[in-house]
Amino acid sequence: MSHSDSSQQLTHTDPQEEDATCPVLLHTPTPLLYTRIPTVANCERVTACIQSGRTYVLTNVKAQNSCLDLSGADWYSIIGFQHHGGPNQKWIFERQHNGNYLIKSAAYNAYLSIEGEPGDHTRLVGEPTPFEWYVENQPGIQQAIRLFVPGTNQNVGFSDNGNPSAFVTLSEKQTDDQHQLWCVESIDETL
């Protein structure tokens, strides 16, 4: 597959197929997932791969200068906040054997998690207990991603229909709603 071929979409790849999915961008034995690296104001610049153990900033597609942020006020709430490059906006993706990911804050001993049971309006929070996420590429939006609670149709977005000052919550997948889509910017940090 060519890296510029946007007609084909990849989700989680089989570790035995990894050399065919991303041999030029990254040389690694780690399973990879295609996604986009945005600039702060533009999610459509360069193709990259999510690599386990690397650090990323997640920028909302609808509110393009709003990042997934572990609130510095309580180190618990997950909010949308203007991009500032701080460690509470950096997330380490750790791929699990089942293809899901743990997403850990680079600022604090907290994993991206949910408060309670998965459902519409369930808040995202930072918890010390690991929580798995299913990462899905979004076709048609320059390979933006969605984050799902595995085995559900609940994915991550802003609670107030894209208002970046709102809490980040779960809601049922809406294919035409960009507040549930996230661009991924690779930060040159590893575990």
Side-chain angles (χ1 to χ4, degrees):
M1 167 189 280
S2 166
H3 294 291
S4 62
D5 182 2
S6 62
S7 66
Q8 295 180 346
Q9 300 295 318
L10 295 176
T11 56
H12 297 290
T13 61
D14 185 314
Q16 291 147 350
E17 297 174 7
E18 69 202 23
D19 292 335
T21 58
C22 197
V24 175
L25 293 176
L26 296 172
H27 298 288
T28 176
T30 306
L32 302 170
L33 170 74
Y34 274 96
T35 188
R36 268 302 189 202
I37 295 178
T39 61
V40 171
N42 182 352
C43 291
E44 303 177 358
R45 296 291 306 266
V46 184
T47 302
C49 295
I50 290 180
Q51 182 181 9
S52 186
R54 292 200 49 108
T55 304
Y56 300 90
V57 172
L58 301 173
T59 306
N60 190 265
V61 170
K62 185 172 184 176
Q64 290 188 349
N65 197 33
S66 189
C67 296
L68 197 66
D69 186 290
L70 176 62
S71 174
D74 62 7
W75 299 107
Y76 178 76
S77 300
I78 304 296
I79 59 174
F81 198 83
Q82 182 176 357
H83 185 276
H84 56 68
N88 60 321
Q89 291 184 341
K90 297 176 182 178
W91 301 93
I92 302 163
F93 279 63
E94 301 170 4
R95 187 177 169 107
Q96 303 302 290
H97 64 86
N98 60 5
N100 294 330
Y101 285 85
L102 301 178
I103 304 173
K104 185 177 181 181
S105 170
Y108 194 71
N109 186 28
Y111 289 89
L112 189 63
S113 188
I114 61 173
E115 188 176 64
E117 295 298 316
D120 285 350
H121 310 293
T122 298
R123 284 182 49 194
L124 269 66
V125 296
E127 287 280 348
T129 305
F131 186 88
E132 291 187 2
W133 294 94
Y134 174 72
V135 178
E136 177 183 276
N137 283 321
Q138 176 62 36
I141 313 272
Q142 296 299 321
Q143 299 179 342
I145 64 168
R146 291 178 182 270
L147 299 173
F148 285 93
V149 174
T152 74
N153 205 22
Q154 296 290 318
N155 69 149
V156 174
F158 289 121
S159 61
D160 189 15
N161 196 29
N163 179 352
S165 63
F167 288 111
V168 178
T169 63
L170 294 177
S171 59
E172 189 167 322
K173 180 180 178 180
Q174 300 169 0
T175 57
D176 60 343
D177 203 335
Q178 293 186 349
H179 82 276
Q180 299 175 336
L181 303 177
W182 302 89
C183 291
V184 180
E185 178 184 0
S186 179
I187 305 300
D188 192 29
E189 299 172 8
T190 57
L191 283 175

